[in-house]
């Protein structure tokens, strides 16, 4: 726990450096006085709600209580600071075991929730493409249709492939630690992927919708109201990129890609301000909360163990 918290502090410092650098390079700081604070706070609240829903879907797979699902899920976010977020999956397995569940079961539920959310994102992006094709935004979205859409589809395939590879790597790694946990992981992963409850899929879809709303409001906080269908496709592209890249949370890369794609819709400095606010909302704030949740769980189990 202490190691994860220390890693979170280092990551927050690195993130602050990236944000400060981009603010200066693109002169985005001049828009800070234009920030609509209530909208920015709403953006943060919606993103945290998105994480909470995802955590609830993870907990529902393993029949874990709502409060524990949210607290443990947030604490596991610290593992998201590792490449491909594999640390988060192992932490969820660890917390599941602490809650009386099986380690392999908790880790399998984590991968299954990711898998289903990726497919939901692909379905929603197909709908977004259809909306653009059938609307007047077609002429304003030639980049997205000509270049962005193939990239989105390719990114989705890569992400699904990466997710399967991560499952295999995790299974092999787990087998070296505990063959029983590895068997539980392999068996329950198949069950969770093939037979997801409708309620779980509904929560994951709602989680994705809230995440997009948070992304949209990050720009609206600076008075920039993007075309919704085009903004959604950009969001999906960044969603895939942040999870498919080796860099933790795609930090730095997603901001640059977002600024380049949206650069023709508004001044670069304004786009940069929106992207950097989104960066704070999706990484910095959850990391701070994850650290607090991790310390709370550490205290809980330390008390429990001392009582034994």
């Amino acid at each position: 726990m202490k190691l994860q918290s220390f890693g979170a502090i280092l990551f927050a410092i690195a993130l602050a450096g990236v944000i400060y650098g981009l603010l200066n390079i693109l002169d985005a700081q001049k828009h800070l006085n234009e920030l609509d604070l209530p909208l920015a706070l709403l953006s943060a609240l919606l993103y945290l709600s998105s994480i909470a829903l995802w955590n609830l879907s993870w907990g529902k797979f393993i029949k874990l209580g709502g409060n524990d699902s949210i607290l443990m899920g947030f604490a596991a976010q610290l593992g998201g600071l590792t490449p491909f977020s594999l640390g988060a999956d192992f932490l969820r397995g660890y917390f599941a075991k602490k809650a009386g569940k099986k380690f392999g079961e908790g880790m399998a539920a984590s991968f299954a929730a990711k898998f289903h959310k990726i497919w939901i994102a692909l379905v929603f992006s197909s709908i977004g493409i259809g909306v653009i094709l059938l609307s007047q935004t077609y002429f304003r979205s030639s980049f997205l249709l000509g270049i962005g859409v193939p990239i989105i589809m390719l990114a989705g395939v890569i992400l699904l492939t990466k997710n399967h590879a991560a499952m295999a790597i995790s299974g092999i790694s787990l087998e070296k630690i505990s063959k029983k946990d590895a068997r539980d992981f392999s068996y329950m992963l198949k069950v969770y992927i093939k037979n997801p409850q409708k309620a779980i899929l509904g929560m994951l879809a709602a989680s994705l919708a809230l995440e997009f709303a948070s992304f949209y409001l990050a720009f609206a906080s600076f008075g920039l109201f993007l075309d919704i269908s085009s903004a959604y496709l950009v969001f999906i592209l960044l969603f895939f990129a942040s999870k498919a890249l080796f860099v933790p949370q795609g930090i730095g890369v997603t901001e640059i890609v977002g600024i380049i794609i949206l650069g023709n819709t508004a001044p670069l400095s304004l786009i940069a301000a929106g992207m950097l606010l989104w960066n704070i909302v999706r990484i910095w704030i959850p990391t701070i909360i994850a650290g607090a949740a991790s310390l709370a769980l550490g205290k809980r189990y330390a008390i429990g163990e001392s009582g034994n």
Side-chain angles (χ1 to χ4, degrees):
M1 289 292 181
K2 291 181 179 179
L3 182 61
Q4 292 290 346
S5 298
F6 180 68
I9 293 171
L10 290 179
F11 186 78
I13 293 173
L15 177 58
V18 171
I19 291 174
Y20 181 77
L22 286 175
L23 277 171
N24 279 283
I25 292 171
L26 297 173
D27 199 26
Q29 70 269 23
K30 67 182 181 183
H31 296 289
L32 293 180
N33 62 343
E34 302 170 13
L35 178 68
D36 186 325
L37 186 58
L39 278 183
L41 291 175
L42 181 57
S43 174
L45 179 61
L46 289 177
Y47 193 83
L48 293 175
S49 299
S50 168
I51 295 176
L53 270 177
W54 193 97
N55 292 339
L56 285 171
S57 69
W58 166 73
K60 194 167 181 63
F61 270 121
I62 59 176
K63 297 179 173 59
L64 190 64
N67 290 337
D68 279 345
S69 297
I70 292 175
L71 182 62
M72 292 178 177
F74 267 109
Q77 288 285 119
L78 290 178
L81 307 182
T82 57
F84 299 144
S85 299
L86 286 178
D89 303 307
F90 276 91
L91 277 177
R92 291 185 188 106
Y94 169 79
F95 289 133
K97 188 172 183 178
K98 283 288 186 180
K101 308 297 180 180
K102 296 178 180 178
F103 186 100
E105 187 180 20
M107 200 166 77
S110 180
F111 275 110
K114 288 181 180 180
F115 174 84
H116 292 301
K117 190 170 181 178
I118 293 169
W119 271 110
I120 290 170
L122 280 170
V123 171
F124 280 11
S125 62
S126 299
I127 294 172
I129 292 168
V131 170
I132 287 181
L133 287 171
L134 294 173
S135 69
Q136 293 180 351
T137 59
Y138 171 81
F139 299 103
R140 298 196 301 272
S141 308
S142 57
F143 172 81
L144 286 173
L145 289 170
I147 300 176
V149 170
I151 291 176
I152 288 172
M153 295 298 107
L154 179 61
V157 172
I158 292 173
L159 183 52
L160 284 170
T161 303
K162 188 276 299 185
N163 204 47
H164 278 81
M167 292 177 195
I169 293 170
S170 298
I172 294 170
S173 302
L174 192 57
E175 190 170 2
K176 294 179 180 179
I177 301 171
S178 168
K179 292 186 180 297
K180 184 180 181 304
D181 287 337
R183 286 195 299 269
D184 290 337
F185 170 73
S186 180
Y187 174 75
M188 295 309 300
L189 185 60
K190 293 176 184 177
V191 173
Y192 294 151
I193 286 180
K194 290 182 179 179
N195 302 298
Q197 297 178 33
K198 291 182 180 178
I200 292 176
L201 295 179
M203 284 189 285
L204 290 172
S207 171
L208 187 68
L210 287 173
E211 197 171 331
F212 167 63
S214 173
F215 172 78
Y216 188 83
L217 287 179
F219 292 93
S221 298
F222 292 99
L224 180 58
F225 294 88
L226 303 169
D227 173 73
I228 291 181
S229 54
S230 298
Y232 182 75
L233 292 186
V234 173
F235 162 75
I236 288 293
L237 177 58
L238 298 180
F239 172 84
F240 288 156
S242 68
K243 290 171 172 51
L245 294 168
F246 183 79
V247 181
Q249 301 293 328
I251 182 173
V253 180
T254 52
E255 289 75 20
I256 293 171
V257 171
I259 290 169
I260 291 173
I261 294 176
L262 294 170
N264 64 341
T265 62
L268 273 180
S269 58
L270 189 57
I271 295 294
M275 282 302 305
L276 292 171
L277 175 59
W278 170 238
N279 201 323
I280 293 172
V281 165
R282 78 180 180 92
I283 300 178
W284 209 343
I285 294 175
T287 297
I288 293 171
I289 293 177
S294 178
L295 291 174
L297 284 175
K299 186 176 180 180
R300 176 202 287 185
Y301 292 124
I303 292 172
E305 289 169 5
S306 63
N308 293 333

